[in-house]
């Protein structure tokens, strides 16, 4: 706005003052004195005074029948708190006004409210927005505007929508600026947004002081700022911000309505410095009355514009006129206070308005549709339900959405969505945004300043597993060289991040991990890289990245060979039941073969002792010769001669069909039995049967065994919760100490098992897989994670980078490099666990061969039955059992002679084939 325009406004204002202070003697209505305290002569004040005058003119012209008429007295507060208070005292004491409109600032209002409460004179302010004023709890203070705290939830919704984790408030150093801070802090805490620091600017700050604060902001990583100042200070602030370079890409600025409501009054140079910022602006609904007011304003002041404060001043004046009209004209007097009050300097003559309580009741009940929207006091102030979200582009702000108390952020105020989708982006709730730097890319809200400090990362070097973290002193430079899986993994994560991060590793020696993590909370370190376990207790004061190692606590126990290698080891492969059944089967098969063969086969004939020995020899010899004839179990020789028999490599021939069938089944059973026995015995003799001495944590608790645990408060706490007493808990540090404890018997100071986290299990068993095994993971933990302060924006980006590393081949390379095994035959306990850690050596029992034994029994019974049937059929004349038995013991003469003849003939043929030279003789 030009100086000529300001001059015109000031001249018009002088005319306005004369008009407002002229008595209206021609009117029969009762005059009611009302005071106005404002910064007379200031451009913003002149606008509101014009609006007050237009409000009175419009009200009385539309209500000519009113019985009262407001007579205003304007007093200049000169933008000073003390003068504003003195003006209020003068208006009440000397002018005996029944109400005061004003003042223009929250600082001036504070003491005026106390005076109004004391004298029962309502103070109606259209621009005092500080929430601190509500703490005075004066029933005679009416705020015809919005409390600054009402917009913090709209600001919170914007921050939540874009996922920013840190926000820096920038506010003026007075009660107006400080009033919003408690409410803004509470709102941000609801969405877990951290305030790393605050920027407080003096109302009278010089350009150099503003520049100094801006330079400090530039060196910090946070790039999201909420600005709450008066409009004049905001114009100077953003001019410097643009000059220094804080209005470029990557920065986010959110303005409160104290600034956005006056954007239309700023010149082009001032708004040009704010390009790309977001803001919460007071929403004024469109109406015919508002459009008519705008038209009249433009006709009267074509070069000037008005703000929402002018509309509130208009509505506040209308509300006061309506309330005074309703209250009537009775008791328009003041009653002086007591002598003690009159004797106090500056308060002489201060009285108490008798009209005040009645005006208080009528003003509280005023309700109408004003220029700024529905006008109604709730707890003596206006309550907003909608805010406008703007984006500064060009001259002024462009509306990109709205915030409603019931529905949150919306693109259009008149298009409320009935349902919300399960997944939305900011583009579903706001219109396109042009950010600082003339870009459409959403800033991430923070960055590592190129001229800022490097991250200080603590690395524990007192680790007993150097494969994870190790610090080595360089003898030349005396610096510490860091290595290990955790360090290399962190460096791989940093390389996978979308931006550069500068950091320095700082060795930390002889300090507990709990203390090291807590020092991140205290700010000594910006992060910790090492074998730090994620736990619920630690997460109370720090934040962890996603875990980058397997999770869990493993139970590691010694293994031993269950097989006692004594002189009777050959008896172990078979159970006693199978041994007895096999021995009994030998005798049964021998008897069955004898029954089937002795009447027709000369080899089974002879004296009783000879037949018994032949039977036993025949049966037992099959077990001896069966394995050597696995490819040719028996010889079935079919020749053109009459020699046809079964020779079982024992010298005894089996002639009958049923005897041959019994022998074949028995041979097959013996073959499988001997082969299984041989394989089982060979396994016992050639390989160790290593099995864990303990199978689970419950067995340790039941026996009251001593167990070892790492120097981990989490593992120690879980063991105590599980029921282990402190007397049975032994702490170890190094893997060598752990190996020593497991090698020693518990009675001699050792332990029966140890508990360690899975990364340590992997390293420990890689060196001692032949001595120990992991049998259980009784406790769950989240693994190792990188430590950061609460609210650090690095956490999310580092976690995403961890996912990238996990999905690449880099993690396999790191594991191969650092989780090396001394014995390459050792399986990985995490990827190749023992499938049956509790299973011991299993002997061969009847359950493995019962089908074969049952088959042999069926064949024997069938053969014996057929033999008895044939024998009885051949001897029908024998009636007595003794006669049948004697007959059965005698050989079948005809069959016997035939078999002897064939045997002789076959013997002669075989001899001739073996000695061809003697054939001629």
């Amino acid at each position: 706005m030009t100086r000529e325009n300001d001059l015109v406004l000031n001249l018009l204002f002088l005319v306005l003052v004369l008009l407002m202070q002229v008595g209206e003697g021609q009117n029969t209505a009762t005059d009611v004195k009302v005071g106005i305290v404002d910064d007379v002569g200031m451009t913003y004040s002149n606008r509101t005074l014009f609006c007050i005058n237009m409000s009175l003119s419009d009200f009385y012209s539309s209500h000519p029948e009113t019985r009262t008429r407001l007579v205003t007295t304007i007093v200049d507060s000169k933008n000073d708190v003390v003068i504003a208070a003195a003006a209020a005292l003068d208006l009440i004491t000397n002018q005996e006004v029944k109400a005061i409109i004003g003042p223009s600032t929250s600082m001036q209002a504070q003491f005026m409210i106390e005076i109004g409460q004391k004298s029962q004179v309502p103070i109606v302010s259209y621009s005092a927005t500080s929430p601190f004023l509500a703490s005075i709890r004066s029933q005679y203070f009416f705020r015809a505007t919005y409390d600054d705290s009402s917009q913090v939830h709209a600001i919170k919704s914007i921050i939540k929508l874009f996922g920013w984790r840190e926000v820096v408030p920038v506010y003026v150093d007075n009660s107006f600026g400080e009033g919003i801070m408690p409410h803004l802090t509470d709102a941000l805490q609801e969405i877990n947004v951290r305030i790393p620091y605050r920027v407080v600017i003096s109302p009278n700050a010089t350009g150099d002081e503003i520049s100094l604060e801006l330079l400090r902001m530039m060196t910090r990583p946070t790039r999201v700022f909420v600005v709450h100042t008066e409009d004049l200070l905001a114009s100077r602030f953003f001019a410097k911000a643009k000059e220094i370079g804080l209005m470029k890409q990557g920065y986010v600025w959110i303005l409160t309505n104290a600034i956005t409501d006056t954007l239309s009054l700023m010149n082009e140079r001032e708004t040009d410095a704010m390009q790309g910022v977001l803001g919460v602006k007071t929403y004024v609904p469109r109406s015919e009355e508002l459009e008519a007011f705008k038209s009249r304003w433009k006709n009267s002041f074509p070069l000037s514009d008005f703000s929402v404060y002018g509309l509130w001043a208009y509505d506040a004046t209308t509300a006061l006129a309506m309330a005074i009209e309703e209250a009537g004209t009775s008791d328009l007097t003041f009653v002086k206070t007591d002598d003690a009050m009159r004797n106090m300097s500056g308060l002489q003559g201060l009285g108490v308005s008798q009209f005040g309580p009645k005006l208080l009741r009528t003003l509280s009940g005023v309700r109408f549709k004003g220029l700024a929207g529905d006008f109604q006091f709730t707890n003596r102030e206006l309550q907003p339900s909608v805010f406008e979200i703007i984006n500064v582009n060009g001259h002024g702000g462009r509306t990109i959405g709205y915030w409603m108390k019931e529905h949150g952020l919306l693109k259009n105020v008149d298009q409320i969505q009935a349902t919300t989708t399960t997944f939305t982006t900011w583009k579903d709730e706001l219109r396109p945004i042009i950010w600082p730097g003339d870009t459409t890319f959403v800033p991430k809200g923070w960055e590592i300043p190129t001229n800022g400090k490097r991250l200080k990362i603590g690395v524990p070097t007192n680790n007993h597993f150097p494969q994870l973290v190790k610090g080595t002193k360089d003898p030349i430079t005396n610096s510490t060289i860091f290595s290990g899986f955790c360090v290399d993994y962190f460096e791989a994560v940093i390389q996978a991040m979308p931006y550069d991060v500068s950091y320095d590793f700082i060795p930390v020696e002889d300090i507990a991990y709990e203390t090291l993590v807590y020092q991140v909370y205290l700010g000594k370190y910006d992060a910790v890289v090492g074998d730090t376990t994620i736990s619920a207790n630690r997460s109370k004061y720090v934040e962890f990245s996603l875990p980058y190692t397997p999770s869990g606590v493993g139970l590691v126990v010694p293994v031993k060979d269950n097989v006692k290698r004594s002189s009777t080891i050959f008896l172990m492969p078979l159970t006693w039941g199978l041994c007895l059944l096999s021995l009994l089967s030998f005798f049964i098969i021998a008897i069955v073969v004898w029954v089937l063969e002795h009447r027709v086969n000369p080899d089974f004939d002879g004296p009783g002792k000879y037949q018994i020995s032949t039977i036993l020899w025949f049966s037992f010899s099959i077990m001896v010769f069966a394995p050597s004839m696995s490819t040719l179990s028996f010889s079935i020789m079919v020749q053109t001669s009459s020699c046809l028999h079964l020779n079982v490599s024992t010298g005894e021939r089996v002639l009958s069909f049923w005897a041959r069938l019994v022998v074949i089944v028995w041979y097959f059973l013996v073959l499988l039995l001997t082969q299984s026995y041989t394989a089982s015995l060979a396994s016992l003799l050639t390989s160790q049967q290593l099995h864990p001495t303990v199978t689970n944590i419950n067995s340790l608790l039941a026996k009251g065994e001593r167990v070892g645990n790492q120097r981990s408060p989490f593992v120690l706490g879980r063991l105590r919760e599980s029921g282990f007493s402190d007397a049975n808990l032994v702490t170890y540090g190094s893997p060598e100490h752990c190996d020593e404890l497991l090698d020693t018997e518990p009675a001699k100071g050792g332990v029966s098992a140890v508990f360690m986290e899975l990364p340590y299990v992997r390293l420990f068993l890689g060196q001692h897989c032949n001595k120990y095994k992991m049998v259980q993971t009784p406790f769950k933990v989240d693994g190792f994670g990188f430590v950061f302060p609460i609210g650090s924006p690095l956490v999310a980006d580092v976690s995403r980078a961890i996912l990238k590393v996990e999905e690449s081949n880099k993690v396999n390379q790191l594991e191969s490099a650092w989780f090396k095994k001394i014995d390459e035959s050792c399986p990985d306990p995490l990827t190749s666990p023992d499938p049956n850690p509790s299973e011991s050596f299993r002997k061969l029992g009847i359950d493995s061969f019962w089908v074969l034994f049952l088959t042999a029994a069926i064949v024997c019974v069938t053969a014996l039955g057929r033999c008895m049937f044939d024998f009885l059929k051949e001897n029908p004349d024998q009636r007595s059992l003794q006669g049948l038995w004697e007959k059965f013991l005698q050989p079948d003469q005809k069959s016997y002679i035939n078999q002897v003849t064939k045997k002789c003939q076959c013997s002669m043929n075989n001899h001739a084939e073996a000695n061809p030279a003697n054939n001629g003789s």
Side-chain angles (χ1 to χ4, degrees):
M1 185 175 296
T2 62
R3 291 185 177 180
E4 292 79 3
N5 193 25
D6 290 340
L7 181 60
V8 172
L9 282 174
N10 290 333
L11 292 175
L12 290 174
F13 168 70
L14 293 176
V15 176
L16 174 65
V17 171
L18 294 175
L19 292 175
M20 295 179 67
Q21 293 184 334
V22 170
E24 309 223 5
Q26 299 84 352
N27 197 294
T28 59
T30 303
D31 293 340
V32 179
K33 294 181 181 181
V34 174
I36 300 177
V37 178
D38 212 335
D39 299 330
V40 177
M42 303 297 292
T43 303
Y44 61 85
S45 177
N46 295 343
R47 292 189 181 94
T48 55
L49 290 174
F50 280 131
C51 292
I52 292 174
N53 179 57
M54 293 177 68
S55 174
L56 292 174
S57 176
D58 292 344
F59 179 77
Y60 290 120
S61 63
S62 60
H63 300 83
E65 73 284 354
T66 56
R67 297 173 292 117
T68 59
R69 187 169 294 271
L70 271 64
V71 177
T72 59
T73 301
I74 303 175
V75 180
D76 185 9
S77 59
K78 300 184 184 299
N79 197 24
D80 187 271
V81 175
V82 177
I83 295 177
L89 281 172
D90 179 68
L91 287 172
I92 295 174
T93 304
N94 299 323
Q95 301 296 330
E96 293 189 346
V97 296
K98 306 305 181 289
I100 295 177
I101 299 176
S104 58
T105 67
S106 299
M107 289 71 68
Q108 296 172 358
Q110 188 167 357
F111 189 58
M112 285 181 59
I113 294 172
E114 298 283 1
I115 297 175
Q117 175 70 19
K118 199 70 174 176
S119 60
Q120 295 185 0
V121 174
I123 308 296
V124 183
S125 177
Y126 52 84
S127 57
T129 58
S130 174
F132 281 168
L133 300 179
S135 64
I136 301 176
R137 304 184 187 281
S138 171
Q139 58 181 341
Y140 283 91
F141 172 61
F142 289 84
R143 197 198 310 262
T145 180
Y146 296 156
D147 187 326
D148 284 337
S149 63
S150 61
Q151 61 187 311
V152 297
H153 292 289
I155 297 173
K156 177 187 73 174
S157 297
I158 296 173
I159 295 171
K160 181 180 179 180
L161 179 64
F162 292 101
W164 296 315
R165 299 298 305 276
E166 286 191 352
V167 173
V168 175
V170 181
Y171 59 94
V172 62
D173 189 12
N174 55 30
S175 59
F176 163 74
E178 295 171 351
I180 195 176
M181 285 309 301
H183 304 275
L184 180 62
T185 302
D186 292 343
L188 295 180
Q189 285 180 347
E190 292 176 2
I191 56 174
N192 296 322
V193 172
R194 178 173 171 262
I195 298 178
Y197 64 96
R198 305 179 183 186
V199 177
V200 185
I201 302 177
S202 170
N204 303 316
T206 63
D208 291 340
E209 291 173 340
I210 294 176
S211 298
L212 182 60
E213 291 293 342
L214 290 169
L215 288 172
R216 290 175 180 172
M217 294 163 62
M218 181 180 285
T219 59
R220 302 287 187 92
T222 307
R223 291 293 182 261
V224 182
F225 307 97
V226 176
V227 183
H228 180 63
T229 66
E230 294 92 348
D231 55 342
L232 296 178
L233 180 59
S235 299
R236 297 172 53 217
F237 179 84
F238 279 101
K240 286 294 183 181
K242 182 179 180 181
E243 177 183 334
I244 293 176
L246 273 75
M247 298 302 296
K248 61 184 180 179
Q249 183 175 353
Y251 286 86
V252 179
W253 299 90
I254 303 175
L255 311 180
T256 62
N257 62 357
I259 304 171
T260 57
D261 287 342
T262 60
L263 281 176
S264 60
L265 307 179
M266 296 182 183
N267 58 41
E268 185 176 351
R269 180 181 58 83
E270 292 172 328
T271 56
D272 183 64
M274 301 181 183
Q275 296 299 300
V277 305
L278 302 180
V280 177
K281 184 179 179 181
T282 301
Y283 172 70
V284 179
R286 294 181 180 180
S287 64
E288 294 180 0
E289 294 80 3
L290 179 60
E291 294 301 323
F293 179 83
K294 288 181 179 179
S295 178
R296 292 167 55 199
W297 182 277
K298 288 298 181 183
N299 291 333
S300 301
F301 314 110
L303 299 179
S304 178
D305 203 350
F306 63 88
S307 68
V308 70
Y309 296 106
L311 300 181
W312 277 325
Y314 183 101
D315 291 343
T317 305
T318 301
L320 186 59
M322 294 173 63
I324 290 177
E325 177 65 22
E326 184 179 351
T329 58
S330 61
D331 293 331
L332 295 177
T333 60
F334 275 76
V335 176
K336 300 301 181 180
T337 56
D338 55 25
D339 294 339
M341 181 64 68
R342 281 198 297 271
N343 292 333
M344 294 177 63
S345 175
L347 295 177
Q348 295 178 0
L350 181 66
V352 177
S353 173
Q354 301 302 298
F355 187 68
K358 187 184 297 185
L359 180 58
L360 175 66
R361 290 192 298 270
T362 57
L363 189 57
S364 299
V366 169
R367 181 174 183 178
F368 64 96
K369 186 176 182 180
L371 296 182
D374 293 335
F375 191 98
Q376 180 183 8
F377 286 117
T378 303
N379 294 326
R380 295 177 299 281
E381 65 182 19
L382 301 183
Q383 299 293 332
S385 59
V386 183
F387 279 104
E388 190 175 348
I389 311 300
I390 66 166
N391 180 211
V392 178
N393 291 127
H395 182 62
R398 175 177 58 89
T399 302
I400 59 173
Y402 300 88
W403 178 86
M404 299 186 68
K405 187 176 181 180
E406 299 82 5
H407 305 284
L409 294 172
L410 299 170
K411 282 187 178 180
N412 300 298
V413 71
D414 55 348
Q415 296 180 356
I416 300 174
Q417 298 178 356
T419 58
T420 57
T421 57
T422 56
F423 177 78
T424 60
T425 65
W426 70 268
K427 294 182 180 179
D428 297 318
E429 302 183 21
L430 295 176
R431 297 168 189 166
I433 300 175
I434 305 298
W435 301 94
D438 196 24
T439 179
T440 57
F441 293 101
V442 178
K444 63 178 180 288
W446 77 282
E447 62 183 31
I448 301 298
T450 55
N451 56 347
K453 66 174 185 178
R454 297 168 63 89
L455 295 179
K456 296 185 297 182
I457 300 179
V459 181
T461 57
N462 56 341
N463 191 291
H464 295 288
F465 289 85
Q467 299 93 330
L468 296 175
V469 181
K470 183 181 180 181
T472 306
K473 281 286 186 180
D474 189 329
I476 300 177
T477 62
N478 201 32
S479 61
T480 304
I481 301 174
F482 297 92
S483 61
F485 174 78
C486 298
V487 175
D488 287 357
Y489 197 101
F490 178 77
E491 292 176 345
V493 167
I494 294 300
Q495 293 176 2
M497 294 181 67
Y499 49 85
D500 294 332
V501 178
S502 302
Y503 60 89
D504 293 318
F505 285 139
I506 300 175
V508 182
E509 299 178 358
D510 300 328
I511 185 172
Y513 276 52
E514 293 295 323
T515 305
L516 175 59
V517 172
Y518 192 72
Q519 288 183 350
V520 175
Y521 169 77
L522 297 177
K524 184 174 181 179
Y525 301 107
D526 298 312
V528 169
V529 171
D531 51 337
T532 48
T533 304
I534 302 173
S535 68
N537 182 59
R538 292 173 178 174
S539 64
K540 295 177 181 178
Y541 45 89
V542 294
E543 282 194 37
F544 289 92
S545 67
L546 287 177
Y548 59 91
T549 62
S551 60
V553 177
L555 173 60
V556 178
V557 300
V559 293
K560 67 176 183 179
D561 193 351
N562 288 347
V563 178
K564 297 181 179 179
R565 305 183 185 282
S566 62
S567 58
T568 59
I569 191 174
F570 65 92
L571 297 176
M572 291 190 64
L574 303 180
T575 62
W576 283 108
L578 183 59
C579 290
L580 294 176
L581 180 59
S582 300
L583 183 62
L584 179 62
S585 299
F586 291 146
F587 290 102
I588 293 175
I589 294 297
I591 294 172
V592 171
V593 172
W594 176 81
V595 170
L596 298 175
E597 287 290 309
H598 83 284
R599 297 185 71 248
V600 297
N601 193 339
D603 293 335
F604 290 86
D605 190 20
K609 292 183 178 180
Y610 174 78
Q611 293 189 41
I612 293 174
S613 63
T614 301
I615 290 171
L616 295 178
W617 170 254
F618 175 82
S619 181
F620 280 94
S621 62
I622 292 179
M623 183 179 68
V624 178
F625 294 105
S628 63
M629 298 177 62
S630 58
T631 58
L632 183 61
S633 302
F634 42 78
S635 302
I636 300 179
M637 296 173 290
V638 180
Q639 302 180 1
T640 55
S641 65
S642 58
C643 298
L644 176 61
H645 58 269
L646 176 64
N647 188 355
V648 196
S649 302
T650 62
E652 289 75 24
R653 297 169 300 163
V654 180
L655 302 179
S656 67
F657 168 78
W658 289 103
R660 293 174 183 175
L661 182 60
V662 170
V663 170
I664 290 174
V665 173
W666 175 244
Y667 178 84
F668 185 68
L669 189 151
V670 170
L671 178 64
L672 292 181
L673 187 63
T674 53
Q675 294 287 4
S676 299
Y677 172 84
T678 303
S680 182
L681 182 61
S683 176
L684 287 174
L685 295 174
T686 58
S687 63
Q688 288 183 314
Q689 303 295 320
L690 300 178
H691 297 281
T693 56
V694 178
T695 57
N696 54 61
I697 188 175
N698 293 328
S699 61
L700 293 171
L701 289 169
K703 298 177 182 179
E705 299 284 358
R706 286 164 51 90
V707 296
N709 68 93
Q710 288 177 291
R711 303 180 187 276
S712 170
F714 169 78
V715 176
L716 183 60
R718 291 300 303 271
L719 290 174
R720 287 171 176 167
E721 292 175 3
S722 300
F724 288 97
S725 62
D726 290 341
N728 290 334
L729 295 176
V730 180
T731 302
Y732 65 88
S734 64
E736 292 77 14
H737 186 200
C738 178
D739 181 32
E740 180 182 349
L741 288 174
L742 289 172
D743 267 347
T744 307
E745 295 181 1
K748 299 180 180 180
V751 296
S752 300
V754 296
F755 293 87
M756 61 176 66
E757 295 180 48
L758 294 186
Y760 303 116
V761 172
R762 196 173 183 182
L763 292 171
F764 183 73
L765 294 186
Q767 301 175 0
H768 305 285
C769 68
N770 294 326
K771 298 170 63 178
Y772 314 109
K773 280 186 179 181
M774 184 182 74
V775 296
Q776 190 184 17
T777 54
F779 308 131
K780 294 293 183 182
V781 295
D782 288 334
F784 295 162
F786 302 122
V787 184
F788 296 94
I790 290 180
S792 172
L794 273 173
V795 176
D797 291 338
V798 167
S799 295
R800 294 188 189 98
I802 288 175
L803 294 177
K804 292 181 181 179
V805 174
E806 289 291 328
E807 294 172 359
S808 67
N809 192 45
K810 183 65 177 179
V811 66
N812 295 329
Q813 298 174 3
L814 293 176
E815 291 179 352
S816 300
W818 291 107
F819 290 94
K820 294 179 179 179
K821 299 183 286 289
I822 293 180
D823 187 354
E824 292 299 328
S825 64
C826 292
D828 191 331
L830 305 185
T831 59
S832 302
D834 189 357
N836 296 300
S838 62
E839 182 179 353
S840 60
F841 172 75
R842 185 167 181 258
K843 295 183 177 182
L844 298 175
I846 298 175
D847 56 337
S848 301
F849 302 95
W850 70 270
V851 174
L852 295 176
F853 281 105
L854 179 61
T855 303
I858 294 173
V859 172
C860 290
V861 171
T862 304
L864 289 175
R866 183 55 185 266
C867 180
M868 291 299 100
F869 177 78
D870 292 341
F871 174 75
L872 294 175
K873 185 178 179 180
E874 293 174 359
N875 300 276
D877 299 333
Q878 296 291 336
R879 299 297 183 185
S880 63
L881 291 177
Q882 182 177 2
L884 288 173
W885 174 250
E886 293 175 353
K887 184 68 176 177
F888 181 75
L889 293 178
Q890 296 176 2
D892 186 353
Q893 296 297 329
K894 182 178 179 181
S895 299
Y896 189 82
I897 293 172
N898 291 336
Q899 294 301 327
V900 171
T901 304
K902 288 181 179 181
K903 182 178 180 179
C904 295
Q905 184 65 38
C906 289
S907 298
M908 294 175 62
N909 293 338
N910 293 336
H911 179 73
E913 292 173 359
N915 301 281
N918 299 329
N919 290 342
S921 61

